[in-house]
Amino acid sequence: MKHAVLSALLSVAPFASLADPLPSWTQSDSKAAIVEFVQAVTDPDGPDYVTPADRVAVFDNDGTLWAEQPVYFQFIFAMDRLAAMAEQDPSILTTPTLKAAAEGDLATVLEGGHDALIEVVNASHSGVSVEAFQAAVADWLATTQHPDTGLPFDQMTYQPMVELLRYLRDEGFTTYIVSGGGLHFMRVFAEQAYGIPPEQILGTYGTTSYAQVDGVPTIVKEPGIAFIDDKEGKPINIERTLGKRPILAGGNSDGDFAMMEWTTAGDGPRLGVLVHHTDAEREWAYDRESPIGRLVDGLDKGPDMGWVIVDMAQDWSRIYTGAD
Amino acid sequence: MKHAVLSALLSVAPFASLADPLPSWTQSDSKAAIVEFVQAVTDPDGPDYVTPADRVAVFDNDGTLWAEQPVYFQFIFAMDRLAAMAEQDPSILTTPTLKAAAEGDLATVLEGGHDALIEVVNASHSGVSVEAFQAAVADWLATTQHPDTGLPFDQMTYQPMVELLRYLRDEGFTTYIVSGGGLHFMRVFAEQAYGIPPEQILGTYGTTSYAQVDGVPTIVKEPGIAFIDDKEGKPINIERTLGKRPILAGGNSDGDFAMMEWTTAGDGPRLGVLVHHTDAEREWAYDRESPIGRLVDGLDKGPDMGWVIVDMAQDWSRIYTGAD
């Protein structure tokens, strides 16, 4: 009799429920909607089946896959790198903005707005080969902690999103990052942090040149931003690079709106996943008024387009990969 | 006894020699060098083993994977499309160059040099959604023949190169096109012709916009060329898109020199494959003096860098996929 009961239990409990692919998500409507979508597009006998070649999922990075407060982590790197460069040669700090950045005076830099950010990135991200730049990023990630959490920056990835990426790949999706962050910066940690290889990372990029460095043909980072992968730039870059419209897009700010709108406007089953920062206790709570990660359009128009609005405080049982 | 002999024969003859992966290549030094390279990088016990993730092979398209005479096939499409557009609205032919192009007067257009080519491409490749443009390309490919061979253009792919692409993929490589030709144009036929999907095609691209067309978010082709994927642009675009240096590069003209130089200058085993157009009888013979596919640097410097120089007349037993 005991054996019969055990048998019956095993036969009715599908394996999937034993091994939850999204263990850091609570049993919420958000999770149910995501799982339902994945099951629909992978069911070869269902009306919404999508062939694996078209199971393309795109995700913003800052604020969607890892944290972005008090400022984009790449910008903290830029200031730290500028300070290190100025130790070797103080004459590079030619403007008040660069001086403030090298001193770590974020407030003063932010007062300068967009132009000041570009100035600091240009000064700290150019005049170096891609290889040497990426070695500097790797060194910084290995030796620097976030000012508030004390965690290494690449441990401040969102564990529920890391699980979602893995779940999608297990179900035959290809997962891409499409970020306003820098291409060369992200490629240093994204493969280990998210399982996303360099060729599946799209981002903002500066001008590069093809040069002979010590007699070896080398790609060198030059001043000047060649492409900003934000807002309308995101769908433009995806179409240019992939040649197809994704079926799933994840984001968290107005910079992701066009990408998510374009994705979910396509024919057939589509899903938008909007991460709403609602957890002031475990992370940060911000949306409409935040200078970093401002979110208005997605909250106003996303629900009507069928997007899943993820409530971080309610829907995630765990936040950071690097902290329980 | 008979069975014993058969057994012995089967045991010494490796399967690979029974099924030649490159049947349209003669038993030449070129073929031997390619096979030797592939065997070296795929032998897990050998000193030159390369992990599959790094088995990246890049190929030019015009003159390397398909023919390019008397002018790039995309340019014949551009002239045909301009003529079709002018039938609807003759007022679009605002300059002598555009009038000549719409009349199919290639000689006059070519006299205008680079600027004339850009003018014709701009006029024929913009003001249309990517989807509608690609439908026009597909229609043109299905209904137009090459003026000399009478073959559909997408049957003028080089069968030996189609076999090489397949062989490389069978051996764990990822194959990319990196062409001076247009991204949206190539994506229409490359998957069927070469087995290369849209996201593995890099090329020249025009400006695009994100627009609402009949209420649907759409990517629209605009006038103006945003990036020319030629010469130094090729390694720059590969690094930007893939984030890694390939281990094999194939090309046929000076426009491919930087890509092949960058590829073969990397550490470890590398291979350059330069297609030399030597077959005036079955194809075209041209190199140093040709306005299309000019080849000087590769012939002068390639051999010293260990590149395989493919002699089409000697090394290929068959030329076009669409003709024996």
Side-chain angles (χ1 to χ4, degrees), chain A residues 130 183-184 187 198-199 205 208 210 212 217 219 232 235-236 239-245 258 261-262 265, chain B residues 130 176 183-184 187 198-199 205 208 210 212 217 219 232 235-236 239-245 258 261-262 265:
Chain A
V130 172
L183 200 53
H184 293 136
R187 282 179 174 155
E199 69 272 18
Y205 50 83
T208 48
Y210 180 70
Q212 306 288 332
I219 306 294
E232 289 77 10
I236 285 172
E239 195 284 325
R240 181 179 288 163
T241 310
L242 308 190
K244 53 184 73 164
R245 199 189 290 239
E261 179 190 53
W262 183 60
Chain B
V130 172
Y176 290 86
L183 201 54
H184 293 136
R187 282 180 174 155
E199 69 272 20
Y205 50 83
T208 48
Y210 181 68
Q212 307 288 333
I219 306 293
E232 288 77 8
I236 285 170
E239 194 284 324
R240 181 178 289 164
T241 310
L242 308 191
K244 54 183 74 163
R245 198 189 292 239
E261 178 189 54
W262 184 60

Side-chain angles (χ1 to χ4, degrees), chain B residues 38-320:
Chain B
V38 171
Q39 289 177 343
V41 301
T42 55
D43 176 1
D45 300 321
D48 288 334
Y49 179 72
V50 174
T51 189
D54 289 326
R55 287 183 211 155
V56 172
V58 291
F59 291 89
D60 170 58
N61 185 44
D62 295 309
T64 299
L65 299 182
W66 76 352
E68 62 180 348
Q69 298 290 355
V71 70
Y72 304 120
F73 297 171
Q74 184 175 357
F75 197 74
I76 302 176
F77 163 76
M79 293 199 301
D80 287 352
R81 179 164 164 82
L82 196 62
M85 291 166 72
E87 268 185 34
Q88 304 294 316
D89 178 8
S91 75
I92 65 168
L93 303 178
T94 51
T95 69
T97 293
L98 295 179
K99 287 196 178 87
E103 287 164 7
D105 179 0
L106 180 61
T108 299
V109 176
L110 289 181
E111 276 169 21
H114 184 74
D115 289 350
L117 295 178
I118 299 283
E119 188 180 345
V120 174
V121 169
N122 265 341
S124 57
H125 283 55
S126 64
V128 60
S129 73
V130 172
E131 284 88 346
F133 175 81
Q134 293 188 316
V137 174
D139 182 61
W140 178 81
L141 283 171
T143 55
T144 317
Q145 289 79 41
H146 188 279
D148 297 336
T149 67
L151 288 169
F153 292 98
D154 56 359
Q155 293 291 309
M156 289 179 67
T157 53
Y158 300 134
Q159 179 61 20
M161 297 303 282
V162 172
E163 292 168 5
L164 176 56
L165 291 168
R166 192 184 303 136
Y167 172 48
L168 291 171
R169 289 193 297 267
D170 285 347
E171 296 293 336
F173 282 74
T174 306
T175 54
Y176 290 86
I177 292 175
V178 181
S179 170
L183 201 54
H184 293 136
F185 181 81
M186 290 188 287
R187 282 180 174 155
V188 175
F189 63 90
E191 185 146 22
Q192 188 167 358
Y194 307 126
I196 299 183
E199 69 272 20
Q200 286 158 11
I201 299 173
L202 285 65
T204 293
Y205 50 83
T207 301
T208 48
S209 66
Y210 181 68
Q212 307 288 333
V213 177
D214 299 331
V216 180
T218 303
I219 306 293
V220 174
K221 290 174 74 68
E222 304 288 351
I225 292 185
F227 184 79
I228 296 181
D229 191 41
D230 196 30
K231 300 193 170 72
E232 288 77 8
K234 291 198 176 196
I236 285 170
N237 200 16
I238 294 168
E239 194 284 324
R240 181 178 289 164
T241 310
L242 308 191
K244 54 183 74 163
R245 198 189 292 239
I247 65 166
L248 189 158
N252 78 298
S253 79
D254 284 355
D256 306 316
F257 184 82
M259 169 174 80
M260 296 178 65
E261 178 189 54
W262 184 60
T263 296
T264 57
D267 294 332
R270 306 275 165 168
L271 190 68
V273 177
L274 187 70
V275 175
H276 188 196
H277 291 264
T278 53
D279 195 327
E281 198 170 320
R282 295 183 299 172
E283 208 239 2
W284 287 269
Y286 59 96
D287 45 38
R288 295 173 186 274
E289 306 298 331
S290 177
I292 302 285
R294 182 170 181 270
L295 174 62
V296 176
D297 287 349
L299 290 178
D300 290 345
K301 303 175 190 168
D304 282 348
M305 290 189 276
W307 297 1
V308 171
I309 315 295
V310 176
D311 181 333
M312 283 177 70
Q314 296 295 321
D315 295 347
W316 289 359
S317 58
R318 177 177 170 182
I319 304 286
Y320 300 125

Side-chain angles (χ1 to χ4, degrees), chain A:
Chain A
M1 190 61 187
K2 269 186 183 168
H3 281 98
V5 171
L6 188 62
S7 266
L9 273 174
L10 284 173
S11 68
V12 293
F15 184 73
S17 73
L18 294 175
D20 182 349
L22 300 173
S24 299
W25 293 68
T26 61
Q27 302 304 327
S28 63
D29 290 348
S30 296
K31 177 174 179 171
I34 291 170
V35 171
E36 186 181 345
F37 174 80
V38 171
Q39 289 177 343
V41 299
T42 55
D43 176 2
D45 300 321
D48 288 335
Y49 179 72
V50 175
T51 188
D54 290 325
R55 287 182 210 155
V56 172
V58 292
F59 290 88
D60 170 57
N61 185 44
D62 295 309
T64 299
L65 299 181
W66 76 352
E68 62 180 351
Q69 298 291 355
V71 70
Y72 305 121
F73 296 172
Q74 185 175 357
F75 197 74
I76 302 177
F77 162 76
M79 293 198 301
D80 287 352
R81 178 164 164 83
L82 196 63
M85 291 166 72
E87 269 186 33
Q88 303 295 315
D89 177 9
S91 74
I92 64 169
L93 303 178
T94 51
T95 69
T97 294
L98 295 179
K99 286 197 179 84
E103 287 164 7
D105 179 0
L106 179 60
T108 297
V109 176
L110 289 181
E111 278 169 21
H114 186 73
D115 289 350
L117 295 179
I118 299 283
E119 188 181 346
V120 173
V121 169
N122 264 340
S124 57
H125 283 55
S126 64
V128 62
S129 72
V130 172
E131 284 88 346
F133 174 81
Q134 292 186 317
V137 174
D139 182 61
W140 179 81
L141 284 171
T143 55
T144 318
Q145 289 79 40
H146 188 279
D148 297 336
T149 67
L151 288 170
F153 292 97
D154 55 0
Q155 293 291 309
M156 289 179 69
T157 53
Y158 300 134
Q159 178 61 19
M161 297 303 282
V162 172
E163 292 167 5
L164 176 56
L165 291 168
R166 192 184 304 134
Y167 172 48
L168 291 171
R169 289 192 299 266
D170 285 348
E171 297 294 334
F173 282 74
T174 307
T175 55
Y176 289 87
I177 292 175
V178 181
S179 169
L183 200 53
H184 293 136
F185 181 81
M186 289 188 288
R187 282 179 174 155
V188 175
F189 62 90
E191 187 149 20
Q192 189 167 356
Y194 307 127
I196 298 184
E199 69 272 18
Q200 287 158 9
I201 299 173
L202 285 65
T204 292
Y205 50 83
T207 301
T208 48
S209 66
Y210 180 70
Q212 306 288 332
V213 176
D214 300 332
V216 179
T218 303
I219 306 294
V220 174
K221 291 173 74 67
E222 304 287 351
I225 291 184
F227 184 79
I228 296 181
D229 192 41
D230 197 30
K231 298 193 171 69
E232 289 77 10
K234 291 197 177 198
I236 285 172
N237 200 17
I238 295 168
E239 195 284 325
R240 181 179 288 163
T241 310
L242 308 190
K244 53 184 73 164
R245 199 189 290 239
I247 66 167
L248 189 158
N252 77 298
S253 79
D254 283 355
D256 305 315
F257 184 81
M259 170 173 81
M260 295 178 66
E261 179 190 53
W262 183 60
T263 296
T264 56
D267 294 331
R270 307 274 164 168
L271 190 68
V273 177
L274 186 70
V275 175
H276 188 195
H277 291 265
T278 52
D279 195 328
E281 197 170 321
R282 295 182 301 171
E283 208 239 2
W284 287 269
Y286 59 98
D287 46 38
R288 294 173 186 272
E289 305 297 332
S290 176
I292 302 286
R294 183 170 180 270
L295 174 62
V296 176
D297 287 350
L299 290 178
D300 289 345
K301 303 175 190 169
D304 282 348
M305 291 189 275
W307 298 359
V308 170
I309 315 294
V310 176
D311 181 333
M312 282 177 70
Q314 295 295 323
D315 295 347
W316 290 358
S317 58
R318 176 176 169 182
I319 304 285
Y320 299 125
T321 301
D324 290 332

